[in-house]
Protein backbone atom coordinates (compact mmCIF):
# COMPACT_ATOMS: atom_id res chain seq x y z
CA UNK A 1 0.00 0.00 0.00
CA UNK A 2 0.98 3.62 -0.49
CA UNK A 3 0.38 5.38 2.82
CA UNK A 4 0.54 9.13 3.45
CA UNK A 5 1.55 10.29 6.94
CA UNK A 6 0.57 13.73 8.17
CA UNK A 7 1.88 15.00 11.48
CA UNK A 8 0.86 18.23 13.17
CA UNK A 9 -0.33 19.88 16.32
CA UNK A 10 -3.82 20.45 14.90
CA UNK A 11 -4.58 23.14 17.47
CA UNK A 12 -7.11 23.42 15.90
CA UNK A 13 -7.34 21.40 12.70
CA UNK A 14 -8.67 23.58 9.87
CA UNK A 15 -9.82 23.15 6.23
CA UNK A 16 -6.30 24.09 5.00
CA UNK A 17 -5.07 20.80 6.49
CA UNK A 18 -7.88 18.70 5.07
CA UNK A 19 -7.69 20.31 1.65
CA UNK A 20 -3.94 19.64 1.50
CA UNK A 21 -4.40 16.01 2.56
CA UNK A 22 -7.07 15.19 0.04
CA UNK A 23 -5.13 16.88 -2.78
CA UNK A 24 -2.04 14.84 -1.83
CA UNK A 25 -4.14 11.66 -1.72
CA UNK A 26 -5.25 12.34 -5.29
CA UNK A 27 -1.89 13.51 -6.67
CA UNK A 28 0.13 10.60 -5.22
CA UNK A 29 -2.54 7.92 -5.76
CA UNK A 30 -2.40 6.99 -2.07
CA UNK A 31 -4.37 4.14 -0.51
CA UNK A 32 -4.78 5.88 2.80
CA UNK A 33 -3.59 8.74 4.94
CA UNK A 34 -2.73 8.56 8.63
CA UNK A 35 -2.93 11.78 10.67
CA UNK A 36 -0.58 11.80 13.64
CA UNK A 37 -1.37 14.51 16.18
CA UNK A 38 1.76 15.47 18.14
CA UNK A 39 1.83 15.55 21.90
CA UNK A 40 4.18 18.55 21.80
CA UNK A 41 6.00 19.78 18.70
CA UNK A 42 9.77 20.21 19.27
CA UNK A 43 9.78 23.53 17.38
CA UNK A 44 6.76 25.18 19.02
CA UNK A 45 7.15 27.21 22.19
CA UNK A 46 3.52 27.39 23.36
CA UNK A 47 1.91 24.47 25.15
CA UNK A 48 -0.82 23.03 22.93
CA UNK A 49 -4.44 22.51 24.00
CA UNK A 50 -5.16 19.19 25.69
CA UNK A 51 -4.69 16.01 23.65
CA UNK A 52 -8.36 15.24 24.26
CA UNK A 53 -9.61 18.46 22.63
CA UNK A 54 -7.23 18.31 19.68
CA UNK A 55 -8.16 14.71 19.01
CA UNK A 56 -11.90 15.38 19.16
CA UNK A 57 -11.56 18.25 16.68
CA UNK A 58 -9.48 16.09 14.34
CA UNK A 59 -12.12 13.35 14.50
CA UNK A 60 -14.80 15.87 13.50
CA UNK A 61 -12.71 17.21 10.62
CA UNK A 62 -11.59 13.93 9.00
CA UNK A 63 -14.09 11.41 10.38
CA UNK A 64 -16.19 11.39 7.21
CA UNK A 65 -13.29 10.38 4.95
CA UNK A 66 -12.96 6.62 4.76
CA UNK A 67 -9.32 6.87 3.57
CA UNK A 68 -8.14 9.01 6.50
CA UNK A 69 -7.19 7.49 9.85
CA UNK A 70 -5.89 8.99 13.07
CA UNK A 71 -2.95 7.41 14.90
CA UNK A 72 -2.57 8.45 18.55
CA UNK A 73 0.88 6.89 19.04
CA UNK A 74 2.65 10.24 19.60
CA UNK A 75 0.01 11.27 22.12
CA UNK A 76 0.51 8.02 23.99
CA UNK A 77 4.24 8.78 24.42
CA UNK A 78 5.74 11.06 27.05
CA UNK A 79 7.13 14.50 26.22
CA UNK A 80 8.17 16.06 22.93
CA UNK A 81 7.17 14.23 19.73
CA UNK A 82 10.10 13.71 17.38
CA UNK A 83 9.18 12.59 13.89
CA UNK A 84 12.30 10.41 13.94
CA UNK A 85 10.81 8.26 16.76
CA UNK A 86 7.47 8.12 14.99
CA UNK A 87 9.18 7.06 11.76
CA UNK A 88 10.94 4.18 13.55
CA UNK A 89 7.60 3.12 15.03
CA UNK A 90 5.73 3.29 11.72
CA UNK A 91 8.44 1.52 9.71
CA UNK A 92 8.03 -1.39 12.14
CA UNK A 93 4.24 -1.26 11.99
CA UNK A 94 4.10 -1.05 8.16
CA UNK A 95 7.22 -2.94 6.98
CA UNK A 96 5.86 -3.76 3.51
CA UNK A 97 4.21 -0.46 2.62
CA UNK A 98 5.57 2.70 1.02
CA UNK A 99 5.37 5.57 3.49
CA UNK A 100 5.13 9.19 2.36
CA UNK A 101 5.47 11.88 5.00
CA UNK A 102 3.48 14.91 3.88
CA UNK A 103 4.58 18.39 4.91
CA UNK A 104 3.53 21.95 4.15
CA UNK A 105 5.96 24.62 2.98
CA UNK A 106 6.47 26.03 6.50
CA UNK A 107 7.73 22.65 7.70
CA UNK A 108 9.89 22.29 4.59
CA UNK A 109 11.54 25.61 5.45
CA UNK A 110 12.37 24.50 9.01
CA UNK A 111 13.32 20.94 8.06
CA UNK A 112 17.06 21.43 8.78
CA UNK A 113 16.11 21.93 12.45
CA UNK A 114 14.34 18.57 12.70
CA UNK A 115 15.95 15.97 14.95
CA UNK A 116 18.03 13.55 12.79
CA UNK A 117 16.68 15.05 9.58
CA UNK A 118 19.32 13.44 7.33
CA UNK A 119 18.43 9.97 8.61
CA UNK A 120 14.74 10.76 8.32
CA UNK A 121 15.13 11.54 4.63
CA UNK A 122 16.57 8.06 4.11
CA UNK A 123 13.81 6.35 6.13
CA UNK A 124 10.74 7.95 4.54
CA UNK A 125 9.83 9.69 1.32
CA UNK A 126 9.15 13.32 2.19
CA UNK A 127 6.55 15.09 0.10
CA UNK A 128 6.16 18.86 0.14
CA UNK A 129 2.69 20.11 -0.65
CA UNK A 130 4.04 23.06 -2.55
CA UNK A 131 2.20 26.16 -3.65
CA UNK A 132 0.58 25.89 -7.01
CA UNK A 133 1.12 29.58 -7.76
CA UNK A 134 4.54 30.17 -6.18
CA UNK A 135 6.85 27.18 -5.75
CA UNK A 136 9.32 27.29 -2.84
CA UNK A 137 10.97 23.86 -3.03
CA UNK A 138 14.59 23.74 -4.29
CA UNK A 139 15.92 20.65 -2.50
CA UNK A 140 15.92 17.60 -4.81
CA UNK A 141 15.70 15.13 -1.94
CA UNK A 142 12.03 16.02 -1.52
CA UNK A 143 9.14 14.94 -3.70
CA UNK A 144 7.13 18.01 -4.65
CA UNK A 145 3.47 18.13 -5.45
CA UNK A 146 1.99 21.35 -6.62
CA UNK A 147 -1.45 22.22 -5.33
CA UNK A 148 -3.58 25.19 -4.40
CA UNK A 149 -3.05 26.13 -0.75
CA UNK A 150 -5.80 27.54 1.46
CA UNK A 151 -4.18 30.32 3.44
CA UNK A 152 -5.54 29.30 6.84
CA UNK A 153 -3.38 28.92 9.94
CA UNK A 154 -4.06 27.57 13.42
CA UNK A 155 -2.06 30.41 14.95
CA UNK A 156 -4.23 33.03 13.27
CA UNK A 157 -7.41 31.19 14.30
CA UNK A 158 -6.28 31.11 17.94
CA UNK A 159 -5.37 34.82 17.85
CA UNK A 160 -8.68 35.74 16.27
CA UNK A 161 -10.69 33.84 18.89
CA UNK A 162 -8.68 35.51 21.64
CA UNK A 163 -9.50 38.90 20.11
CA UNK A 164 -13.16 38.09 19.50
CA UNK A 165 -12.75 38.25 15.67
CA UNK A 166 -14.95 36.10 13.40
CA UNK A 167 -13.44 32.68 12.56
CA UNK A 168 -16.44 30.55 11.66
CA UNK A 169 -15.55 30.73 7.93
CA UNK A 170 -12.09 29.27 8.61
CA UNK A 171 -13.27 26.15 10.43
CA UNK A 172 -15.22 22.98 9.82
CA UNK A 173 -18.71 23.70 11.30
CA UNK A 174 -18.46 20.86 13.85
CA UNK A 175 -14.98 22.00 14.92
CA UNK A 176 -16.27 25.55 15.28
CA UNK A 177 -19.14 24.31 17.44
CA UNK A 178 -16.78 22.26 19.57
CA UNK A 179 -14.46 25.24 20.13
CA UNK A 180 -17.44 27.40 21.17
CA UNK A 181 -18.89 24.81 23.54
CA UNK A 182 -15.57 24.21 25.24
CA UNK A 183 -14.47 27.88 25.26
CA UNK A 184 -11.17 27.01 23.62
CA UNK A 185 -8.64 29.75 22.81
CA UNK A 186 -10.71 32.45 24.53
CA UNK A 187 -8.89 35.27 26.35
P1 LIG B 1 0.35 26.66 13.75
O1 LIG B 1 -0.20 27.91 13.14
O2 LIG B 1 -0.07 26.40 15.17
O3 LIG B 1 1.84 26.51 13.50
P2 LIG B 1 -0.56 25.11 11.46
O4 LIG B 1 -1.80 25.75 10.94
O5 LIG B 1 0.72 25.35 10.68
O6 LIG B 1 -0.36 25.47 12.98
P3 LIG B 1 0.08 22.35 12.13
O7 LIG B 1 -0.83 21.48 12.89
O8 LIG B 1 1.31 22.79 12.80
O9 LIG B 1 -0.85 23.59 11.63
O10 LIG B 1 0.44 21.79 10.72
C1 LIG B 1 0.45 20.44 10.37
C2 LIG B 1 0.90 20.33 8.93
O11 LIG B 1 -0.03 21.03 8.09
C3 LIG B 1 2.27 20.93 8.61
O12 LIG B 1 2.92 20.08 7.67
C4 LIG B 1 1.94 22.25 7.98
O13 LIG B 1 2.97 22.65 7.10
C5 LIG B 1 0.67 21.91 7.24
N1 LIG B 1 -0.23 23.04 7.04
C6 LIG B 1 -0.66 23.92 7.95
N2 LIG B 1 -1.51 24.82 7.42
C7 LIG B 1 -1.63 24.48 6.11
C8 LIG B 1 -2.38 25.01 5.00
N3 LIG B 1 -3.15 26.08 5.15
N4 LIG B 1 -2.26 24.39 3.81
C9 LIG B 1 -1.44 23.31 3.67
N5 LIG B 1 -0.73 22.75 4.65
C10 LIG B 1 -0.81 23.32 5.86
Amino acid sequence: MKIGLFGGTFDPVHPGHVHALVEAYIALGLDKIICIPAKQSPLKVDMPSSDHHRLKMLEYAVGNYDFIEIDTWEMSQKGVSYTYDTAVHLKTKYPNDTLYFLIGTDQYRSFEKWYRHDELLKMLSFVVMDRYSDSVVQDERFITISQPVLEISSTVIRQRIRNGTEVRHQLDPEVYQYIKENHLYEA
Side-chain angles (χ1 to χ4, degrees), residues 53-87:
H53 286 321
R54 291 185 293 120
L55 196 53
K56 276 276 172 216
M57 293 188 282
L58 195 53
E59 283 166 0
Y60 281 128
V62 301
N64 289 330
Y65 292 90
D66 56 5
F67 57 86
I68 306 182
E69 288 175 16
I70 301 170
D71 183 317
T72 56
W73 186 81
E74 287 192 359
M75 284 185 164
S76 72
Q77 304 296 300
K78 285 205 175 70
V80 170
S81 314
Y82 292 106
T83 301
Y84 178 81
D85 297 332
T86 311

Side-chain angles (χ1 to χ4, degrees), residues 6-12 14-17 20 44 102-108 129 147 149-156 158:
F6 191 56
T9 315
F10 306 119
D11 192 19
H14 54 67
H17 295 129
K44 290 187 183 173
L102 311 170
I103 56 174
T105 50
D106 56 328
Q107 290 204 339
Y108 166 75
M129 300 176 291
Q147 57 194 48
V149 172
L150 298 186
E151 298 289 352
I152 304 176
S153 122
S154 302
T155 303
V156 173
R158 292 193 302 274

Side-chain angles (χ1 to χ4, degrees), residues 87-104:
V88 171
H89 163 70
L90 291 169
K91 292 280 279 184
T92 313
K93 189 169 174 187
Y94 300 102
N96 301 317
D97 300 297
T98 311
L99 303 179
Y100 296 89
F101 199 94
L102 311 170
I103 56 174

Side-chain angles (χ1 to χ4, degrees), residues 46-178:
D46 296 338
M47 277 300 288
S49 305
S50 75
D51 294 358
H52 171 77
H53 286 321
R54 291 185 293 120
L55 196 53
K56 276 276 172 216
M57 293 188 282
L58 195 53
E59 283 166 0
Y60 281 128
V62 301
N64 289 330
Y65 292 90
D66 56 5
F67 57 86
I68 306 182
E69 288 175 16
I70 301 170
D71 183 317
T72 56
W73 186 81
E74 287 192 359
M75 284 185 164
S76 72
Q77 304 296 300
K78 285 205 175 70
V80 170
S81 314
Y82 292 106
T83 301
Y84 178 81
D85 297 332
T86 311
V88 171
H89 163 70
L90 291 169
K91 292 280 279 184
T92 313
K93 189 169 174 187
Y94 300 102
N96 301 317
D97 300 297
T98 311
L99 303 179
Y100 296 89
F101 199 94
L102 311 170
I103 56 174
T105 50
D106 56 328
Q107 290 204 339
Y108 166 75
R109 286 197 181 94
S110 66
F111 194 78
E112 297 278 295
K113 295 187 192 144
W114 288 29
Y115 178 60
R116 296 192 170 186
H117 57 272
D118 280 333
E119 285 160 83
L120 262 178
L121 279 172
K122 291 180 193 128
M123 291 166 77
L124 302 174
S125 297
F126 275 81
V127 178
V128 187
M129 300 176 291
D130 203 0
R131 273 155 219 277
Y132 188 46
S133 50
D134 183 19
S135 170
V136 302
V137 181
Q138 307 281 341
D139 190 327
E140 288 174 3
R141 295 172 301 171
F142 291 80
I143 297 170
T144 307
I145 50 175
S146 175
Q147 57 194 48
V149 172
L150 298 186
E151 298 289 352
I152 304 176
S153 122
S154 302
T155 303
V156 173
I157 290 172
R158 292 193 302 274
Q159 281 166 353
R160 285 187 162 186
I161 295 174
R162 207 174 309 126
N163 297 337
T165 307
E166 185 62 60
V167 287
R168 189 193 288 260
H169 61 305
Q170 296 200 323
L171 288 161
D172 173 282
E174 285 180 297
V175 174
Y176 176 78
Q177 194 58 33
Y178 185 88

